[in-house]
Amino acid sequence: MGQGNLGIEPEILKAIYGQMARIRAVDKAVQAGLSSGRFQFTYWPMTGQECIPATISQLTTSRDYMITTYRGIHDQVAKGVDLYGMFAEALGREDGVNKGKGGSPHISDPSSGSMVTTAIVGAGAPIANGLAISAKERGEDRVTIVNFGDGATSIGAVHEAMNLAGAWKLPVIFLCQNNAWGEYTRIPTYTASPNFFGRAEALGFKGVQLDGNDPAAFYKGMKEVIDYVRAGSGPVFVEAMTYRLGPHAGVGDNYNATKEELAAGRERAPYEKTRALLLEAGISSEEELTALEAAAKAEVDDAIVRALESKVTPASETLVDVFADVDCVPKRGHYPVREAEGEFSGSTETMTMAQAIQNAQHIAMSANNEVFILGEDVGDPHGGAFGTNKDLETDFGGRRVRPTPIAEQAIIGAAIGSSIAGMNPIAEIMFADFMGVCLDQIANHAAKQRYMSGSATHAPMTIRMQLGGGMGGFGAQHSQSLEAWLTHTPGIKVAFPSNPIDAKGLLLSAIDDPDPVVLLESIMLLFAQKGEVPTGAYKIPLGVAKVKREGTDVSLISYGWMVHQALAAAEELAKEGISAEVIDLRSLVPIDYHRILESVKKTGRAVVVHAAVEFCGLGAEICSTINEELWGKLKSPAIRLGAEYAPIAYSKEIETGQVPSANSIAARVRAAVK
């Protein structure tokens, strides 16, 4: 075949093969090292898929964003991740690109544009939208490519992300590397779809199917796609046809395939075909290719030798990178003293909690153009289900206040991606119960990104959630207090205000915080609680509790709307000669154990109250810490009071009886002071 019939510039074809040679050298070295026992880590081979990222590497730069999966080592190599840092990371060494904390399935390398590697199938797609939002809002011509396998097309996160990207015309490419296997399962077993690219058309944007094993055809098709997306024409779904020659995980051949299937796959494999084409077309000589391959092998061998010499990431790093400040990590015996807010000055205005939240967002959005709100129905005229965003879309426009589809995974993922890119999103989840449909994005991605990346990337985002319970009328799926889900998830900060002043100050702190923060808002308080709120900007620091009422006989420790029940109980107890000190935690992570313990040292007794189910609730944790730290100094053990172990009932009589009240709190205190 002559060079004129290639359909691709010879130098570009040589460059693609050069990347394929590097990828193949990595694959061979990993498989050899694992088979011989030279080293050990989990490996998901991509043998046979080398052409896809190698070709894309000739069409993109390090400025373009990429997200890939645990099977994405070929994507990482072609994107430009340093091989030494990559191998050191896979081996759990301190010189790893992410300090050995993420390992092979969680590589983040913003210097090359490789932003996120996720080990959750399909979960990168919503995050890719957020990266694309940042590029579009900043007027950058970056494209974001999110890689996933055909198996991920069954995941709801991919559907939600595609729908959002189409609606907002985001510069993102959904790249399905269709290798014919969803882990161990053949495509016809898990879907009746004749293809995957056709799903884009159903969602209103472009989809194409390309031969991912033919560098010339794939280059031509991907160039058109990338140029289209880079020009701002919207997203594209690319189904890149290839074949996975290896197993889902481990080394060797794909043992689920028949001999005939494997033989056909090898016949179509791009590495060998491209090498032969370079020779046949007279572009390269055997000597040139042998030298190129030897150089790739030497590069890989050197990286592995040096990575094996790197020190194992030490245990002293355990708590580093959970948060930006290690003092925010709860740790037995370590109770830092954080400075409280100062006295407020200047003008004030009577506000409900809902108005205070709206005011905080208005201030933040005025001060920083990269603060934006996204969530269901957040736009005007409603301003969200509870009006907490009212008039903000009118004031700042539809790109700063973004009403979304009903798609919580897409909402949180977009917030994660845009925050990784440096924006400050505020994502609203209408009820805390709905956390269940986006918990993967919160707990596996937002919470862990800083840690898994060794702080190479982080997600400075805010999530606002409303909570019901104790009101009557919402029922079991709209009334839960689920703060324990969050406080049990390292990497997420949690604030829970009880009044308008704190709601505004905590929200402003959350928006400026370098870590993801969830602000929990009691529906009970949004309109019922009014107060004189400073009209200017101020912050309530996270991790600082406040004494709401001084007392000497017992410490009542609470947060959210239960603080008001505790204050009412304290009034009743005072009539009986029992002096209760009431502490409003305000922030659950970081938690202010210093002020808790100082109060209980004084009173000798503690009752922790929350609206959440008592069993395995936060109250048990706080009581355990008090009892451990102050054992021998207490007049009686610290005890807790929470909701009964049942879903929140629709029946108002049951509901109001199953969560704590002023009467039940007072009764619990009486039992403690006997």
Side-chain angles (χ1 to χ4, degrees):
M1 179 184 290
Q3 293 186 19
N5 299 322
L6 285 172
I8 186 172
E9 290 294 323
E11 290 304 312
I12 293 175
L13 186 62
K14 283 174 66 174
I16 290 172
Y17 182 72
Q19 285 288 13
M20 291 171 67
R22 296 177 71 242
I23 293 167
R24 179 58 66 94
V26 167
D27 188 27
K28 281 187 172 182
V30 171
Q31 299 217 31
L34 294 175
S35 298
S36 66
R38 184 184 182 195
F39 49 74
Q40 185 64 48
F41 58 81
T42 306
Y43 184 56
W44 299 268
M46 44 64 222
T47 320
Q49 300 177 217
E50 301 91 349
C51 178
I52 295 170
T55 302
I56 291 171
S57 73
Q58 302 308 302
L59 294 164
T60 57
T61 72
S62 60
R63 291 188 71 255
D64 295 309
Y65 293 134
M66 183 190 78
I67 291 180
T68 191
T69 73
Y70 53 87
R71 197 186 304 287
I73 194 167
H74 58 322
D75 301 320
Q76 307 284 3
V77 173
K79 194 71 173 77
V81 177
D82 175 69
L83 295 190
Y84 167 56
M86 187 183 74
F87 277 110
E89 185 62 31
L91 293 166
R93 307 302 172 95
E94 63 182 9
D95 288 343
V97 67
N98 303 124
K99 297 163 63 173
K101 292 186 171 182
S104 58
H106 302 120
I107 287 173
S108 296
D109 179 39
S111 66
S112 68
S114 181
M115 305 303 288
V116 172
T117 305
T118 175
I120 308 294
V121 172
I127 300 171
N129 281 343
L131 293 169
I133 287 170
S134 73
K136 185 170 182 176
E137 290 307 301
R138 292 166 176 170
E140 300 169 339
D141 66 349
R142 301 177 196 251
V143 298
T144 297
I145 299 177
V146 54
N147 294 278
F148 49 88
D150 51 278
T153 60
S154 300
I155 293 286
V158 173
H159 292 263
E160 290 190 24
M162 288 173 62
N163 184 53
L164 185 72
W168 291 355
K169 292 189 69 174
L170 296 177
V172 61
I173 297 169
F174 297 94
L175 182 55
C176 172
Q177 298 190 25
N178 184 345
N179 63 24
W181 292 89
E183 297 190 355
Y184 300 103
T185 306
R186 301 170 193 274
I187 290 174
T189 304
Y190 67 74
T191 182
S193 294
N195 57 59
F196 298 117
F197 75 95
R199 298 180 183 186
E201 184 178 349
L203 293 171
F205 64 95
K206 185 176 178 180
V208 298
Q209 188 179 76
L210 302 175
D211 186 349
N213 283 3
D214 182 335
F218 191 63
Y219 180 87
K220 181 177 183 296
M222 279 304 297
K223 186 177 189 310
E224 292 176 1
V225 167
I226 290 172
D227 288 348
Y228 175 91
V229 174
R230 206 182 292 281
S233 301
V236 177
F237 185 100
V238 176
E239 183 178 4
M241 306 302 291
T242 184
Y243 192 80
R244 193 188 79 210
L245 296 173
H248 168 57
V251 300
D253 290 336
N254 183 347
Y255 50 81
N256 292 105
T258 65
K259 290 181 179 179
E260 293 75 19
E261 288 170 333
L262 269 179
R266 289 195 182 97
E267 187 71 22
R268 299 191 302 271
Y271 181 77
E272 292 78 6
K273 280 177 59 179
T274 305
R275 191 182 198 280
L277 180 59
L278 287 168
L279 294 172
E280 182 184 346
I283 297 170
S284 301
S285 66
E286 178 65 38
E287 291 76 19
E288 286 176 318
L289 295 184
T290 300
L292 182 152
E293 291 153 5
K297 182 178 184 302
E299 180 190 8
V300 172
D301 289 345
D302 174 69
I304 291 175
V305 168
R306 290 192 293 133
L308 286 168
E309 292 172 350
S310 177
K311 293 180 181 178
V312 173
T313 305
S316 59
E317 280 281 320
T318 301
L319 300 182
V320 178
D321 302 314
V322 176
F323 296 116
D325 180 358
V326 72
D327 271 346
C328 291
V329 177
K331 185 179 179 183
R332 182 181 291 111
H334 180 67
Y335 310 119
V337 183
R338 300 182 184 91
E339 189 175 344
E341 71 274 16
E343 293 295 320
F344 298 128
S345 60
S347 63
T348 63
E349 183 180 323
T350 303
M351 298 184 192
T352 63
M353 184 183 283
Q355 290 169 329
I357 290 165
Q358 189 271 2
N359 183 237
Q361 292 179 121
H362 196 286
I363 288 171
M365 295 174 77
S366 299
N368 182 352
N369 287 333
E370 296 211 315
V371 175
F372 71 99
I373 298 169
L374 70 165
E376 296 160 16
D377 306 319
V378 295
D380 290 330
H382 293 96
F386 300 98
T388 51
N389 315 295
K390 200 166 182 59
D391 297 328
L392 293 177
E393 184 182 21
T394 300
D395 291 347
F396 295 98
R399 293 170 70 170
R400 299 285 303 282
V401 179
R402 293 173 171 257
T404 66
I406 299 174
E408 281 80 8
Q409 291 186 91
I411 294 166
I412 300 301
I416 294 169
S418 58
S419 68
I420 287 174
M423 299 185 80
N424 295 93
I426 305 169
E428 181 174 308
I429 299 298
M430 202 178 291
F431 284 85
D433 310 70
F434 302 168
M435 187 180 6
V437 295
C438 58
L439 193 57
D440 169 60
Q441 290 291 323
I442 296 172
N444 279 322
H445 293 89
K448 296 176 183 175
Q449 188 58 35
R450 178 185 288 279
Y451 196 82
M452 293 189 302
S453 73
S455 288
T457 53
H458 63 288
M461 58 187 284
T462 303
I463 305 173
R464 293 181 40 240
M465 296 183 190
Q466 287 85 37
L467 301 93
M471 300 175 66
F474 282 123
Q477 294 180 341
H478 286 70
S479 304
Q480 297 173 95
S481 293
L482 297 172
E483 61 271 16
W485 287 12
L486 296 164
T487 58
H488 198 67
T489 303
I492 289 282
K493 293 176 178 174
V494 186
F496 204 151
S498 68
N499 59 79
I501 293 177
D502 287 355
K504 178 177 175 178
L506 288 169
L507 180 51
L508 286 171
S509 289
I511 293 168
D512 280 349
D513 199 89
D515 297 304
V517 182
V518 176
L519 186 78
L520 298 169
E521 303 160 7
S522 298
I523 299 170
M524 182 83 79
L525 303 178
L526 283 176
F527 303 102
Q529 271 292 307
K530 291 185 178 181
E532 287 299 308
V533 179
T535 55
Y538 65 92
K539 292 181 181 178
I540 303 292
L542 300 178
V544 177
K546 186 169 186 176
V547 176
K548 301 290 284 187
R549 179 188 176 112
E550 298 277 354
T552 56
D553 295 326
V554 62
S555 299
L556 282 176
I557 302 158
S558 194
Y559 49 88
W561 67 278
M562 276 293 123
V563 170
H564 301 279
Q565 298 297 315
L567 288 167
E571 285 288 334
E572 290 302 309
L573 291 165
K575 298 173 184 176
E576 305 168 24
I578 300 172
S579 174
E581 181 154 294
V582 178
I583 297 177
D584 183 352
L585 290 180
R586 304 197 291 188
S587 172
L588 309 185
V589 177
I591 189 168
D592 190 355
Y593 269 131
H594 168 73
R595 288 176 172 84
I596 292 170
L597 294 172
E598 287 301 304
S599 174
V600 181
K601 284 177 187 176
K602 177 176 67 174
T603 65
R605 303 180 182 91
V607 178
V608 184
V609 183
H610 52 63
V613 169
E614 183 175 293
F615 182 75
C616 290
L618 184 62
E621 160 61 33
I622 296 172
C623 287
S624 178
T625 298
I626 292 170
N627 289 331
E628 286 181 18
E629 293 296 326
L630 301 180
W631 185 250
K633 302 175 183 177
L634 296 172
K635 298 172 183 175
S636 62
I639 56 177
R640 67 203 190 282
L641 178 62
E644 294 190 59
Y645 192 79
I648 297 295
Y650 188 76
S651 161
K652 187 164 185 176
E653 185 172 341
I654 297 177
E655 180 178 359
T656 54
Q658 69 188 114
V659 298
S661 64
N663 288 336
S664 63
I665 295 169
R668 195 83 169 112
V669 170
R670 292 185 193 103
V673 298
K674 280 184 179 178

